[in-house]
Amino acid sequence: MQLRLTDKQETEYVLMQSIEQDCYIDTNEKIEYPPVAISIGEKLIKSSKGDELLPIPIGTIGNFSFIQAPPKTKKTFFISLLASAYLGDTNHFVGDIKGHRKGRQVIHIDTEQGKWHCQRVFKRTIDMSGLKDNNDYHPFSLRTIGHKDRIKFIDYCLKYRFDNVGYLIIDGIADLVSDVNDLKECNEIVQIIMEWSANYKCHISLVIHSNFGTDKATGHLGSILEKKAECQIQLEANTVHKEYVTVKCKRTRNYSFDNFSFSVNDLGYPYIVDDFYDPLQ
């Protein structure tokens, strides 16, 4: 039967057809596992086709993860570990953490610190990575602009400025909304994050505080991130070694990585601790 549609209905119909084509999942199609962006360690997978040693993902391409921690738990130092591993594939600071960059670029956003402190963080990442240049590393401090312009600027970077971005870091996702308990606003920013990761085929790491005295990420924003993220990583002050921070895989859609710990040396560089003692065991 021929449908009689108004111009508005016709536009909507065409849009729905496009969504149908893009979102339909063919159960007979062989869809490859998403490429790993950052991993830690390996896992032996047994199957009828033979055994395979695969990297354990911290994050894969087309997805996002988030790191949560109480204030002053060295979240930014942990981000330096991840970013430097991704940039240099690996280095002597990061233990078993491995980057799978394959020539792709990094955008590193800080929303909280001023230029002087940000530069220290960004230079630390480059120093740890061992790179001789920083042509594929694009760091920005967005402290001085409003939350709506922060979103627009990140979108501009992905859409117009930098080709082939494989890893986006947003250290301060709460600063991309006006209120972490505004349900509508928080849903909208998480939707944008998911679209960025899918459309630009990158992995996105977000940083958010934990609520005081709990292991819950802050506000409605934290609750939505828990539901949508590929991996939720929790940092805790180690109760046995006061200078250590414990890293836990709280939730993941992949194989979970084991707890590990890191500290910061006298020169201000974070490093993975080899002789980790888990006080909960």
Side-chain angles (χ1 to χ4, degrees), residues 138-230:
H138 311 291
F140 297 95
S141 170
L142 303 188
R143 182 184 185 185
T144 58
I145 64 176
H147 69 279
K148 292 182 180 179
D149 285 336
R150 290 176 183 137
I151 297 169
K152 291 177 182 177
F153 178 76
I154 297 170
D155 190 64
Y156 155 83
C157 287
L158 290 167
K159 189 177 295 182
Y160 301 114
R161 283 290 291 119
F162 305 115
D163 295 327
N164 201 23
V165 172
Y167 190 30
L168 168 62
I169 299 162
I170 305 175
D171 192 347
I173 181 60
D175 292 321
L176 268 61
V177 296
S178 63
D179 181 355
V180 294
N181 286 307
D182 185 313
L183 194 56
K184 180 177 182 293
E185 191 177 16
C186 292
N187 271 309
E188 286 175 351
I189 190 57
V190 174
Q191 180 62 35
I192 289 171
I193 294 294
M194 291 192 293
E195 290 176 11
W196 281 341
S197 65
N199 293 342
Y200 297 102
K201 295 179 174 59
C202 62
H203 186 78
I204 302 176
S205 286
L206 311 173
V207 179
I208 189 170
H209 289 289
S210 296
N211 285 326
F212 181 76
T214 76
D215 64 353
K216 297 286 288 182
T218 301
H220 286 317
L221 178 59
S223 299
I224 297 166
L225 291 175
E226 285 188 4
K227 295 174 183 176
K228 303 296 185 181
E230 177 184 36

XYZ file of all heavy atoms in Angstrom, residues 138-230:
748
model
N 47.860 15.201 21.807
C 47.254 16.530 21.754
C 46.591 16.841 23.104
O 45.437 16.466 23.340
C 46.230 16.594 20.622
C 46.758 16.082 19.314
N 47.721 16.753 18.592
C 46.478 14.948 18.622
C 47.997 16.076 17.484
N 47.273 14.979 17.494
N 47.324 17.519 24.003
C 46.802 17.806 25.345
C 46.176 19.200 25.452
O 46.680 20.168 24.877
C 48.061 17.706 26.220
C 49.177 18.160 25.309
C 48.770 17.824 23.898
N 45.089 19.300 26.236
C 44.401 20.575 26.405
C 43.912 20.725 27.843
O 43.433 19.766 28.453
C 43.186 20.674 25.475
C 43.525 20.646 24.017
C 43.478 19.454 23.304
C 43.908 21.804 23.346
C 43.795 19.416 21.950
C 44.227 21.776 22.001
C 44.174 20.579 21.300
N 44.013 21.949 28.354
C 43.409 22.318 29.633
C 42.156 23.134 29.345
O 42.232 24.223 28.770
C 44.391 23.142 30.472
O 43.732 23.698 31.597
N 40.987 22.620 29.749
C 39.717 23.300 29.466
C 39.084 23.902 30.717
O 37.871 24.109 30.778
C 38.735 22.314 28.807
C 39.195 21.639 27.510
C 38.041 20.865 26.892
C 39.754 22.647 26.522
N 39.913 24.194 31.693
C 39.400 24.705 32.961
C 38.664 26.034 32.811
O 37.696 26.308 33.527
C 40.579 24.869 33.930
C 40.184 25.359 35.305
C 41.407 25.597 36.178
N 41.048 25.947 37.536
C 41.923 26.291 38.463
N 43.208 26.334 38.167
N 41.523 26.596 39.673
N 39.106 26.864 31.878
C 38.608 28.238 31.809
C 37.367 28.416 30.947
O 36.865 29.534 30.810
C 39.711 29.167 31.259
O 40.112 28.702 29.964
C 40.915 29.184 32.188
N 36.844 27.341 30.354
C 35.654 27.493 29.512
C 34.484 26.713 30.110
O 34.679 25.784 30.894
C 35.922 27.040 28.057
C 36.253 25.543 27.987
C 37.059 27.849 27.438
C 36.428 25.036 26.566
N 33.276 27.093 29.751
C 32.080 26.479 30.303
C 31.854 25.061 29.802
O 32.433 24.633 28.801
N 30.968 24.344 30.493
C 30.796 22.913 30.193
C 30.250 22.682 28.780
O 30.644 21.721 28.115
C 29.905 22.249 31.237
C 28.468 22.658 31.198
N 27.996 23.824 31.764
C 27.381 22.034 30.654
C 26.702 23.901 31.582
N 26.295 22.852 30.904
N 29.379 23.557 28.292
C 28.843 23.367 26.942
C 29.928 23.571 25.889
O 29.977 22.840 24.888
C 27.668 24.322 26.707
C 26.439 23.993 27.549
C 25.292 24.950 27.245
C 24.068 24.619 28.090
N 22.949 25.565 27.825
N 30.791 24.557 26.106
C 31.882 24.793 25.162
C 32.925 23.686 25.226
O 33.604 23.409 24.231
C 32.524 26.152 25.426
C 31.658 27.307 24.935
O 30.834 27.074 24.025
O 31.792 28.425 25.466
N 33.102 23.070 26.396
C 34.009 21.916 26.486
C 33.531 20.794 25.558
O 34.321 20.191 24.841
C 34.083 21.421 27.931
C 34.809 22.374 28.871
C 34.758 21.887 30.310
N 35.394 22.863 31.195
C 34.916 23.242 32.371
N 33.783 22.729 32.822
N 35.553 24.138 33.102
N 32.240 20.524 25.590
C 31.684 19.478 24.723
C 31.883 19.835 23.259
O 32.321 19.003 22.447
C 30.180 19.268 25.026
C 29.987 18.783 26.460
C 29.567 18.270 24.041
C 28.537 18.805 26.928
N 31.587 21.082 22.929
C 31.740 21.529 21.542
C 33.192 21.456 21.085
O 33.482 21.093 19.945
C 31.217 22.958 21.386
C 29.704 23.090 21.535
C 29.283 24.553 21.438
C 27.780 24.725 21.633
N 27.384 26.156 21.601
N 34.116 21.804 21.984
C 35.529 21.785 21.613
C 36.024 20.360 21.359
O 36.743 20.103 20.393
C 36.384 22.447 22.703
C 37.844 22.410 22.386
C 38.389 23.272 21.441
C 38.678 21.489 23.007
C 39.746 23.228 21.132
C 40.031 21.442 22.702
C 40.559 22.314 21.760
N 35.636 19.430 22.220
C 36.051 18.033 22.012
C 35.477 17.501 20.705
O 36.160 16.818 19.931
C 35.618 17.157 23.204
C 36.324 17.618 24.483
C 35.940 15.687 22.936
C 35.785 16.988 25.753
N 34.225 17.839 20.433
C 33.601 17.421 19.184
C 34.336 18.016 17.980
O 34.572 17.329 16.975
C 32.134 17.850 19.179
C 31.347 17.241 18.033
O 31.203 16.011 18.001
O 30.891 18.002 17.154
N 34.727 19.275 18.092
C 35.501 19.947 17.042
C 36.836 19.241 16.799
O 37.241 19.033 15.653
C 35.704 21.405 17.461
C 36.899 22.105 16.870
C 36.847 22.681 15.606
C 38.083 22.229 17.608
C 37.947 23.347 15.075
C 39.183 22.899 17.090
C 39.112 23.445 15.819
O 40.203 24.097 15.300
N 37.512 18.865 17.883
C 38.795 18.171 17.745
C 38.630 16.847 17.012
O 39.429 16.499 16.128
C 39.408 17.920 19.120
S 40.076 19.394 19.919
N 37.603 16.101 17.376
C 37.382 14.792 16.756
C 36.916 14.921 15.308
O 37.319 14.148 14.438
C 36.337 14.009 17.562
C 36.779 13.515 18.945
C 35.572 13.054 19.741
C 37.801 12.392 18.823
N 36.082 15.905 15.054
C 35.450 16.024 13.739
C 36.343 16.728 12.721
O 36.384 16.338 11.543
C 34.131 16.785 13.886
C 33.272 16.797 12.625
C 31.951 17.516 12.874
C 31.107 16.778 13.884
N 29.791 17.459 14.095
N 37.069 17.753 13.171
C 37.771 18.611 12.219
C 39.293 18.660 12.378
O 40.014 18.853 11.398
C 37.240 20.050 12.322
C 35.766 20.189 12.048
C 34.896 20.577 13.059
C 35.246 19.924 10.780
C 33.527 20.709 12.818
C 33.884 20.061 10.528
C 33.036 20.449 11.544
O 31.690 20.581 11.303
N 39.799 18.550 13.584
C 41.210 18.866 13.821
C 42.156 17.687 13.681
O 43.235 17.817 13.100
C 41.371 19.492 15.214
C 40.946 20.929 15.299
C 41.900 21.848 14.541
N 43.202 21.940 15.194
C 44.351 21.580 14.659
N 44.413 21.108 13.440
N 45.484 21.699 15.333
N 41.799 16.535 14.240
C 42.765 15.447 14.320
C 42.192 14.173 13.679
O 41.142 13.677 14.091
C 43.141 15.171 15.775
C 43.640 16.398 16.494
C 42.928 16.926 17.559
C 44.793 17.043 16.082
C 43.369 18.063 18.221
C 45.246 18.181 16.729
C 44.533 18.697 17.799
N 42.902 13.697 12.693
C 42.499 12.468 12.022
C 42.981 11.257 12.825
O 44.021 11.294 13.472
C 43.103 12.398 10.613
C 42.557 13.488 9.699
O 41.384 13.856 9.871
O 43.314 13.970 8.841
N 42.207 10.198 12.759
C 42.671 8.905 13.259
C 42.995 8.929 14.751
O 44.045 8.458 15.196
C 43.917 8.453 12.466
C 44.130 6.957 12.563
O 43.205 6.198 12.827
N 45.370 6.537 12.365
N 42.090 9.493 15.560
C 42.246 9.467 17.013
C 41.848 8.084 17.524
O 40.746 7.607 17.264
C 41.384 10.555 17.683
C 41.395 10.406 19.204
C 41.870 11.935 17.280
N 42.766 7.446 18.261
C 42.485 6.120 18.805
C 42.136 6.129 20.274
O 41.540 5.188 20.784
N 42.525 7.209 20.970
C 42.344 7.252 22.425
C 42.032 8.678 22.848
O 42.778 9.609 22.540
C 43.615 6.748 23.107
C 43.506 6.500 24.599
C 42.313 6.125 25.198
C 44.630 6.617 25.419
C 42.225 5.887 26.546
C 44.570 6.376 26.778
C 43.360 6.010 27.340
O 43.280 5.773 28.693
N 40.902 8.848 23.526
C 40.478 10.137 24.071
C 40.383 10.015 25.585
O 39.706 9.111 26.093
C 39.129 10.543 23.484
C 38.394 11.719 24.137
C 39.210 13.004 24.043
C 37.012 11.911 23.512
N 41.055 10.910 26.291
C 41.023 10.947 27.756
C 40.308 12.220 28.182
O 40.642 13.311 27.720
C 42.446 10.951 28.347
C 43.206 9.686 27.936
C 42.412 11.088 29.863
C 44.708 9.808 28.097
N 39.313 12.076 29.058
C 38.639 13.238 29.636
C 38.779 13.135 31.143
O 38.045 12.393 31.810
C 37.156 13.322 29.222
C 37.016 13.303 27.697
C 36.516 14.579 29.805
C 35.579 13.272 27.206
N 39.759 13.849 31.670
C 40.025 13.836 33.112
C 39.148 14.898 33.759
O 39.532 16.051 33.899
C 41.509 14.107 33.359
C 41.910 13.826 34.805
O 41.008 13.666 35.647
O 43.120 13.773 35.087
N 37.936 14.467 34.109
C 36.955 15.351 34.709
C 35.649 15.356 33.936
O 35.170 16.416 33.517
N 35.037 14.167 33.751
C 33.795 14.067 32.979
C 32.682 14.857 33.650
O 31.775 15.381 32.986
C 33.380 12.592 32.776
C 32.106 12.474 31.944
C 33.218 11.866 34.104
C 32.206 13.064 30.554
N 32.734 15.020 34.986
C 31.696 15.783 35.688
C 31.680 17.245 35.260
O 30.665 17.931 35.421
C 31.892 15.686 37.200
N 32.794 17.726 34.703
C 32.860 19.118 34.261
C 32.296 19.323 32.862
O 32.384 20.425 32.310
C 34.310 19.616 34.319
C 34.813 19.722 35.748
O 34.028 20.143 36.613
O 35.979 19.379 35.999
N 31.702 18.272 32.297
C 31.003 18.409 31.021
C 29.492 18.521 31.233
O 28.711 18.512 30.272
C 31.317 17.234 30.089
C 32.507 17.467 29.135
C 33.786 17.716 29.892
C 32.674 16.271 28.197
N 29.073 18.623 32.491
C 27.670 18.875 32.822
C 27.625 19.980 33.877
O 28.608 20.239 34.564
C 26.943 17.608 33.350
C 26.879 16.537 32.285
C 27.636 17.069 34.607
N 26.473 20.616 34.014
C 26.328 21.653 35.037
C 25.960 21.056 36.388
O 26.200 21.668 37.433
C 25.260 22.677 34.617
O 23.989 22.063 34.504
N 25.371 19.843 36.378
C 24.904 19.224 37.614
C 24.953 17.709 37.435
O 24.264 17.153 36.570
C 23.470 19.686 37.907
C 22.903 19.114 39.200
O 23.581 18.284 39.838
O 21.770 19.479 39.568
N 25.752 17.026 38.246
C 25.909 15.573 38.113
C 24.651 14.824 38.546
O 24.573 13.599 38.392
C 27.114 15.054 38.919
C 28.417 15.588 38.362
C 26.970 15.367 40.405
N 23.655 15.533 39.089
C 22.393 14.904 39.478
C 21.231 15.308 38.577
O 20.074 14.992 38.879
C 22.065 15.228 40.937
C 22.947 14.457 41.908
O 23.037 13.236 41.814
N 23.598 15.158 42.812
N 21.533 16.012 37.487
C 20.507 16.333 36.497
C 20.396 15.144 35.546
O 21.267 14.917 34.708
C 20.897 17.603 35.736
C 19.816 18.056 34.763
O 19.286 17.205 34.009
O 19.517 19.257 34.727
N 19.321 14.369 35.684
C 19.200 13.108 34.967
C 19.226 13.303 33.451
O 19.905 12.564 32.721
C 17.909 12.401 35.392
C 17.758 10.922 35.008
C 18.920 10.100 35.544
C 16.435 10.379 35.527
N 18.508 14.305 32.972
C 18.444 14.558 31.529
C 19.822 14.930 30.988
O 20.286 14.383 29.978
C 17.434 15.668 31.233
C 17.295 16.009 29.755
C 16.205 17.070 29.562
C 16.004 17.414 28.090
N 17.174 18.105 27.507
N 20.478 15.861 31.653
C 21.785 16.333 31.204
C 22.830 15.206 31.246
O 23.650 15.068 30.331
C 22.231 17.504 32.079
C 23.434 18.250 31.549
C 23.789 19.447 32.417
O 23.314 19.529 33.576
O 24.555 20.294 31.935
N 22.787 14.399 32.292
C 23.754 13.306 32.428
C 23.533 12.233 31.362
O 24.491 11.696 30.795
C 23.673 12.697 33.824
S 24.236 13.820 35.128
N 22.281 11.916 31.089
C 21.990 10.963 30.009
C 22.494 11.483 28.667
O 23.032 10.718 27.856
C 20.485 10.691 29.935
C 20.048 9.539 30.813
O 20.611 8.456 30.759
N 19.040 9.783 31.644
N 22.339 12.775 28.451
C 22.760 13.368 27.179
C 24.269 13.293 26.992
O 24.753 12.938 25.914
C 22.280 14.820 27.099
C 20.784 14.945 26.852
C 20.296 16.389 26.899
O 21.099 17.273 27.292
O 19.117 16.639 26.552
N 25.055 13.587 28.041
C 26.511 13.572 27.874
C 27.024 12.146 27.714
O 27.951 11.893 26.930
C 27.234 14.298 29.034
C 28.723 14.464 28.693
C 27.074 13.574 30.349
C 29.014 15.203 27.420
N 26.410 11.186 28.409
C 26.838 9.790 28.232
C 26.493 9.307 26.829
O 27.271 8.580 26.196
C 26.217 8.878 29.316
C 26.543 7.413 29.043
C 26.739 9.274 30.694
N 25.355 9.737 26.297
C 25.005 9.398 24.920
C 26.032 9.982 23.946
O 26.452 9.323 22.990
C 23.604 9.921 24.588
C 23.130 9.622 23.165
C 23.034 8.135 22.873
O 22.682 7.344 23.757
N 23.347 7.737 21.643
N 26.456 11.213 24.191
C 27.478 11.837 23.339
C 28.780 11.042 23.408
O 29.433 10.806 22.384
C 27.697 13.303 23.767
C 26.488 14.155 23.375
C 28.966 13.872 23.130
C 26.522 15.562 23.951
N 29.175 10.634 24.611
C 30.396 9.838 24.783
C 30.309 8.545 23.973
O 31.264 8.150 23.279
C 30.613 9.512 26.278
C 30.901 10.782 27.089
C 31.741 8.487 26.449
C 32.188 11.467 26.760
N 29.156 7.873 24.045
C 28.991 6.615 23.305
C 29.053 6.859 21.798
O 29.634 6.053 21.053
C 27.672 5.946 23.703
C 27.665 5.418 25.126
S 26.261 4.333 25.518
C 24.897 5.490 25.417
N 28.461 7.952 21.349
C 28.502 8.277 19.918
C 29.923 8.608 19.466
O 30.356 8.164 18.398
C 27.552 9.439 19.626
C 26.080 9.055 19.746
C 25.146 10.239 19.550
O 25.623 11.315 19.116
O 23.938 10.104 19.835
N 30.650 9.382 20.273
C 32.045 9.685 19.921
C 32.851 8.405 19.770
O 33.587 8.234 18.801
C 32.679 10.554 20.999
C 32.328 12.011 20.942
C 31.827 12.715 19.872
C 32.472 12.970 22.002
N 31.644 14.032 20.200
C 32.036 14.223 21.493
C 32.929 12.893 23.317
C 32.042 15.382 22.271
C 32.936 14.046 24.097
C 32.498 15.271 23.574
N 32.736 7.505 20.746
C 33.551 6.277 20.712
C 33.212 5.415 19.506
O 34.110 4.820 18.884
C 33.373 5.484 22.010
O 32.046 5.013 22.142
N 31.930 5.359 19.146
C 31.510 4.537 18.011
C 31.817 5.203 16.672
O 32.382 4.586 15.765
C 30.016 4.223 18.109
N 31.469 6.488 16.551
C 31.616 7.182 15.269
C 33.071 7.384 14.881
O 33.414 7.345 13.691
C 30.897 8.533 15.312
C 29.386 8.393 15.422
O 28.835 7.332 15.132
N 28.717 9.439 15.854
N 33.938 7.634 15.891
C 35.348 7.897 15.588
C 36.236 6.688 15.872
O 37.455 6.788 15.802
C 35.824 9.130 16.358
C 35.066 10.368 15.919
C 34.033 10.889 16.690
C 35.341 10.985 14.701
C 33.313 11.998 16.277
C 34.620 12.094 14.278
C 33.606 12.595 15.069
O 32.887 13.692 14.652
N 35.595 5.577 16.225
C 36.304 4.301 16.406
C 37.524 4.474 17.304
O 38.655 4.143 16.943
C 36.693 3.701 15.052
C 35.491 3.318 14.199
C 35.909 2.743 12.854
C 34.700 2.240 12.077
N 33.687 3.296 11.826
N 37.265 4.998 18.494
C 38.326 5.214 19.471
C 37.884 4.639 20.814
O 36.723 4.256 20.990
C 38.637 6.703 19.610
S 37.265 7.725 20.209
N 38.826 4.564 21.752
C 38.447 4.258 23.130
C 38.511 5.543 23.934
O 39.403 6.378 23.733
C 39.352 3.208 23.768
C 38.853 2.804 25.131
N 37.797 1.933 25.293
C 39.219 3.196 26.379
C 37.545 1.794 26.583
N 38.390 2.558 27.259
N 37.570 5.716 24.858
C 37.500 6.923 25.677
C 37.621 6.524 27.148
O 36.865 5.686 27.633
C 36.182 7.685 25.446
C 36.028 8.055 23.963
C 36.131 8.939 26.322
C 34.711 8.734 23.627
N 38.598 7.113 27.839
C 38.748 6.934 29.286
C 38.260 8.189 29.993
O 38.708 9.292 29.676
C 40.213 6.678 29.664
O 40.627 5.383 29.321
N 37.363 8.025 30.946
C 36.798 9.124 31.721
C 37.259 9.010 33.166
O 37.494 7.900 33.661
C 35.268 9.082 31.669
C 34.627 8.921 30.296
C 33.122 8.716 30.446
C 34.917 10.134 29.427
N 37.361 10.146 33.842
C 37.726 10.163 35.258
C 36.622 10.866 36.026
O 36.143 11.932 35.616
C 39.071 10.882 35.485
C 39.405 10.908 36.976
C 40.188 10.207 34.706
N 36.198 10.248 37.161
C 35.139 10.823 37.981
C 35.433 10.513 39.443
O 36.050 9.488 39.765
C 33.754 10.264 37.563
C 32.624 11.025 38.256
C 33.660 8.769 37.827
C 31.234 10.682 37.718
N 35.017 11.398 40.340
C 35.202 11.173 41.774
C 34.197 10.132 42.285
O 33.128 9.928 41.697
C 34.998 12.470 42.560
C 36.103 13.465 42.374
N 37.356 13.302 42.893
C 36.125 14.653 41.723
C 38.115 14.328 42.573
N 37.390 15.173 41.851
N 34.551 9.495 43.401
C 33.608 8.663 44.139
C 32.888 9.516 45.165
O 33.422 10.522 45.649
C 34.337 7.517 44.854
O 34.938 6.639 43.950
N 31.651 9.110 45.507
C 30.948 9.778 46.593
C 31.705 9.586 47.899
O 32.302 8.524 48.140
C 29.527 9.214 46.738
C 28.603 9.698 45.650
O 28.718 10.819 45.168
N 27.680 8.842 45.232
N 31.670 10.586 48.754
C 32.419 10.524 50.011
C 31.960 9.336 50.860
O 30.776 9.144 51.102
C 32.223 11.823 50.812
C 32.985 11.857 52.104
C 34.348 12.087 52.120
C 32.329 11.628 53.305
C 35.053 12.111 53.308
C 33.020 11.642 54.502
C 34.387 11.884 54.501
N 32.925 8.508 51.268
C 32.640 7.387 52.155
C 32.033 6.175 51.490
O 31.646 5.221 52.182
N 31.907 6.172 50.159
C 31.328 5.024 49.464
C 32.204 4.667 48.266
O 33.159 5.377 47.939
C 29.897 5.318 48.953
O 29.971 6.145 47.775
C 29.068 6.020 50.015
N 31.847 3.554 47.612
C 32.552 3.179 46.381
C 31.684 3.453 45.152
O 31.894 2.886 44.086
C 32.982 1.707 46.412
C 31.803 0.747 46.458
O 30.646 1.218 46.607
O 32.020 -0.468 46.340
N 30.708 4.367 45.299
C 29.838 4.744 44.192
C 30.378 5.991 43.506
O 30.793 6.947 44.158
C 28.423 5.028 44.703
C 27.726 3.837 45.342
C 27.284 2.827 44.303
C 26.113 3.342 43.499
N 25.653 2.344 42.512
N 30.356 5.986 42.175
C 30.758 7.177 41.424
C 29.728 8.283 41.630
O 28.533 8.043 41.851
C 30.890 6.838 39.946
N 30.176 9.529 41.530
C 29.382 10.695 41.929
C 28.078 10.856 41.141
O 28.076 10.852 39.908
C 30.218 11.975 41.748
O 31.388 11.871 42.537
C 29.438 13.202 42.173
N 26.971 11.009 41.873
C 25.698 11.452 41.320
C 25.033 10.515 40.330
O 25.436 9.362 40.143
N 23.977 11.056 39.694
C 23.304 10.311 38.629
C 24.274 10.027 37.488
O 24.168 8.987 36.829
C 22.107 11.103 38.092
C 20.921 11.119 39.017
N 20.489 10.000 39.685
C 20.073 12.126 39.369
C 19.432 10.305 40.416
N 19.154 11.589 40.242
N 25.210 10.941 37.269
C 26.197 10.730 36.205
C 26.974 9.434 36.443
O 27.143 8.623 35.535
C 27.148 11.921 36.135
C 28.271 11.824 35.092
C 27.707 11.653 33.688
C 29.172 13.046 35.162
N 27.438 9.233 37.674
C 28.164 8.013 37.994
C 27.322 6.762 37.795
O 27.809 5.740 37.289
N 26.042 6.831 38.179
C 25.147 5.671 38.026
C 24.936 5.326 36.554
O 24.913 4.145 36.176
C 23.799 5.960 38.688
O 23.954 6.190 40.074
N 24.795 6.340 35.706
C 24.601 6.100 34.276
C 25.880 5.532 33.652
O 25.832 4.613 32.827
C 24.164 7.392 33.571
C 22.812 7.859 34.117
C 24.062 7.178 32.055
C 22.453 9.277 33.733
N 27.033 6.075 34.066
C 28.297 5.543 33.562
C 28.451 4.067 33.906
O 28.932 3.273 33.091
C 29.470 6.344 34.143
C 29.632 7.789 33.666
C 30.768 8.461 34.429
C 29.893 7.854 32.167
N 28.050 3.688 35.119
C 28.146 2.281 35.529
C 27.357 1.372 34.587
O 27.783 0.266 34.258
C 27.634 2.106 36.959
C 28.590 2.602 38.024
C 28.126 2.228 39.419
O 27.101 1.524 39.536
O 28.782 2.637 40.395
N 26.198 1.841 34.149
C 25.338 1.018 33.291
C 25.874 0.921 31.867
O 25.679 -0.098 31.194
C 23.919 1.598 33.261
C 23.209 1.550 34.608
C 21.868 2.281 34.538
C 21.191 2.311 35.892
N 19.937 3.104 35.878
N 26.526 1.977 31.386
C 26.877 2.051 29.971
C 28.335 1.725 29.663
O 28.671 1.417 28.521
C 26.566 3.458 29.436
C 25.114 3.901 29.617
C 24.158 3.037 28.825
C 22.730 3.586 28.920
N 21.761 2.748 28.161
N 29.226 1.806 30.653
C 30.658 1.667 30.390
C 31.037 0.225 30.079
O 30.432 -0.725 30.581
C 31.463 2.155 31.586
N 32.066 0.093 29.267
C 32.651 -1.231 29.025
C 33.381 -1.729 30.269
O 33.310 -2.902 30.609
C 33.629 -1.159 27.856
C 34.347 -2.469 27.589
C 35.387 -2.356 26.499
O 36.047 -1.304 26.400
O 35.541 -3.330 25.738
